[in-house]
Each structure stands twice: as structure tokens, then as C-alpha cells.
Amino acid sequence: MIESAPGVYRLNINAHAGAQSLASALHARRFSLQDPRGDASRAAILLRAGEGRIDGSGEPMELAAPCLAWVPIRPGHFLRLAAGASGELLTLSDMLVKDAIGQSAESIHLRVVNDRSVVVNAIEPTATLAEVAHSFAAIGREVRRDERGSWNYLTAHVALILVHCWRLSGFEDVARQGFDSHSALLVRFRHLVETHFRERWRIIDYAAELGVSHDRLHDICVRMLQRTPLELLHDRLGHEAGLRLARSGQSIEALADYLGFRSASHFSRFFKQRLGFTPAAYRKAARDATTLSAVLPTTTYADWP
């Protein structure tokens, strides 16, 4: 649900989602992935016919229809389409995507997808392509009409697109081919953190749920991630706190309660220690920043196995 936070985002739904139909043409074209109307942080592309390429940041990503692509937008990012290519382009705000991902145990997979560039060329089977196309079309229709429940409608279809990216990308299958028992335990730990980080579980509680000792969990995390279990847990708490301070209107007291802290002062001490700002100063810096990414936490789940 959108919460009021003047200066952080606009309630106009077009500030959070943009949809553009990419009709076939006789010449090559270039489209910017940055949406000047809103705070777009992700682009989703459905290439129905022809070929294209995403350029402007890092290695070019080649697209061959039927293709689904999910891309974190970087400065200078743009989409090139060859003559005859057609499809749809969505630009989505971080707030919209975050709400689409949700807080369930499976949300961690969608967070991993969201943090990466995903390109799936030559989509099969045909039924999957039809399902993806349906969500793109539904989002396109919704941003052009004024209806109640638009936020819930859009987040539902964004979640479906992310699920298709997860299923089609093969990230999990490739990772599991090289998994050892330590990697598998870290994946389970990650699932538990995502599910329980607001309940203030102790590390010994996570270890007990995983069926290992506190010391063994500590050793595995330090050896494989160079982070203690407590640091990983605090990273997740700090990331969530930073996002909500920057993009929601929750009071400091309400946010402290939501994240499971015993008091607002306890939360403020934790936050300043982790990020170097008091919560109030961080919120002000986020609202004054030219881009929110200048002050948001940078740790992502792509850093985990």
C-alpha cells in the first residue's frame, strides 16, 4: 500500500510505472530506459519480433525474439531495436517493484532476480510467452486508465513478470550445480532471514532452525561471505530501514516497531551505527538528494550464494 510521503514520490501512478508499445519500423531505433516522469529503477522488455540490444552501461546485452529482459536501469542505458523489431517496454519504480516482491519466503528469489540483469532469448513454450505478454499488456492498460486498486493490480502483474524471469533465467539451477553443503546452508539461512528478520530472532535461533551450532553457522558465513551471521542480519535490517525511511511516510516510532526494535531510540542508535546517519537525517538527505541511490544502502542479495 502506498503511504503518503511528500517529496519522496508522487501518488500519480504514472510516476511509478510507464508502458511503451514498440511498433515495428523500417529503420533501426533507440529508446532511453530512463523515464523522465518518475523514479524508474527497473526496465522490463518483451521483444515479440526481431532483434535488439541494451547498451550504455557495461557489456551490451543482445536480444533475440521472443525475448524477456529485466534490467536495473543505469545512467545512459538505452534499448536499440533493429528494423522490423517490435515489443513492449515497461519502466518501474523501486517502490512498485519492492511491493510486488513482498515479504514471503519465496520473495528472496525475486529479490535476487531484481538485483541482476536477466535476458531470456527464444522463450519457450508458447504458453509461457502468452502469459508474459498478458502481464505486459495488463500493465500497459492500467497506466492509461484511472481505476481504483491500480497499485495492487500493477504489483500483481509485476510479480508475475519477476516470477517468469526467475523460472526462465535458470539462475537457481546453475547455482545448484556447484552447490556444496555450505552453500546450501547459506541459502536456507537467507530464506530464514527474509522470513524472520523483523521478529528479531537471535543468531542462536537461526542456527537451531538450521540444525547446526552457533559456531558452525558463524564459521561458514565468515569463510564464504566474509561476514558474520549477525552482520548479514543487520545488513538486511539496515537495508529495509533505509528503503522505508526514503520512500515511505512512516514515523520513526512506527518504523522502529515494524522492524521489531524495542524503542525508537534503540532503532536510532542501531541505524546511525550502521549507516552513519540518524534516521531523521537520513530521510532528509534522501529527500534532498538528486537521486535516492546516492544515500540508499547498497548491499543486495546478489552478494549471497
Side-chain angles (χ1 to χ4, degrees):
M1 180 178 294
I2 304 179
E3 298 163 306
S4 176
V8 182
Y9 60 83
R10 299 185 297 279
L11 294 179
N12 184 342
I13 204 70
N14 290 317
H16 294 278
Q20 185 175 359
S21 179
L22 309 174
S24 176
L26 296 177
H27 53 86
R29 290 152 296 155
R30 192 176 90 161
F31 303 87
S32 173
L33 296 186
Q34 294 183 316
D35 186 349
R37 297 171 302 174
D39 185 25
S41 68
R42 298 294 187 272
I45 300 161
L46 177 62
L47 192 64
R48 293 178 177 271
E51 298 180 345
R53 188 172 74 236
I54 299 170
D55 274 327
S57 179
E59 290 294 321
M61 290 172 274
E62 302 293 336
L63 313 179
C67 171
L68 173 63
W70 180 274
V71 184
I73 298 173
R74 307 289 182 233
H77 248 159
F78 55 87
L79 168 67
R80 292 183 184 273
L81 291 185
S86 63
E88 283 85 38
L89 168 64
L90 303 177
T91 52
L92 308 165
S93 77
D94 199 45
M95 176 66 105
L96 183 67
V97 174
K98 181 178 180 298
D99 277 6
I101 289 172
Q103 299 285 348
S104 70
E106 282 195 334
S107 294
I108 187 62
H109 300 292
L110 304 188
R111 290 182 188 276
V112 171
V113 170
N114 183 48
D115 287 334
R116 290 172 160 84
S117 292
V118 178
V119 175
V120 182
N121 289 311
I123 297 173
E124 293 181 355
T126 303
T128 298
L129 177 61
E131 291 170 5
V132 173
H134 173 74
S135 286
F136 270 78
I139 291 172
R141 288 192 300 270
E142 193 64 21
V143 298
R144 289 189 286 270
R145 62 190 180 192
D146 183 16
E147 295 283 353
R148 289 172 294 181
S150 283
W151 189 263
N152 289 334
Y153 188 94
L154 289 172
T155 55
H157 283 286
V158 171
L160 288 172
I161 292 171
L162 277 167
V163 168
H164 282 297
C165 288
W166 171 28
R167 292 177 175 178
L168 293 168
S169 66
F171 280 153
E172 203 170 0
D173 294 336
V174 171
R176 281 178 175 170
Q177 291 175 8
F179 263 20
D180 55 22
S181 60
H182 292 172
S183 297
L185 185 137
L186 285 176
V187 169
R188 291 170 57 208
F189 179 45
R190 186 177 64 182
H191 278 272
L192 289 174
V193 168
E194 185 62 29
T195 305
H196 300 289
F197 75 93
R198 292 190 297 111
E199 300 171 21
R200 305 312 306 274
W201 276 24
R202 300 168 301 169
I203 298 303
I204 195 170
D205 299 322
Y206 286 102
E209 187 71 18
L210 292 167
V212 298
S213 69
H214 177 286
D215 289 345
R216 180 162 176 75
L217 178 60
H218 182 278
D219 289 345
I220 291 172
C221 288
V222 170
R223 187 182 316 129
M224 299 192 68
L225 300 176
Q226 293 74 56
R227 308 284 284 170
T228 69
L230 187 60
E231 287 172 331
L232 292 167
L233 178 58
H234 283 178
D235 284 346
R236 181 65 184 95
L237 271 169
H239 186 76
E240 186 73 16
L243 284 173
R244 289 187 172 271
L245 283 166
R247 296 187 171 96
S248 83
Q250 281 181 300
S251 68
I252 304 302
E253 292 76 11
L255 181 55
D257 183 65
Y258 172 80
L259 293 174
F261 288 88
R262 62 177 179 265
S263 67
S265 60
H266 183 212
F267 166 63
S268 295
R269 287 194 298 272
F270 165 85
F271 193 84
K272 186 172 184 180
Q273 183 180 25
R274 300 294 300 175
L275 286 93
F277 293 81
T278 65
Y282 184 92
R283 173 170 274 166
K284 183 178 185 302
R287 292 180 179 180
D288 292 345
T290 302
T291 172
L292 292 179
S293 62
V295 293
L296 286 175
T298 57
T299 301
T300 73
Y301 280 102
D303 299 325
W304 288 51

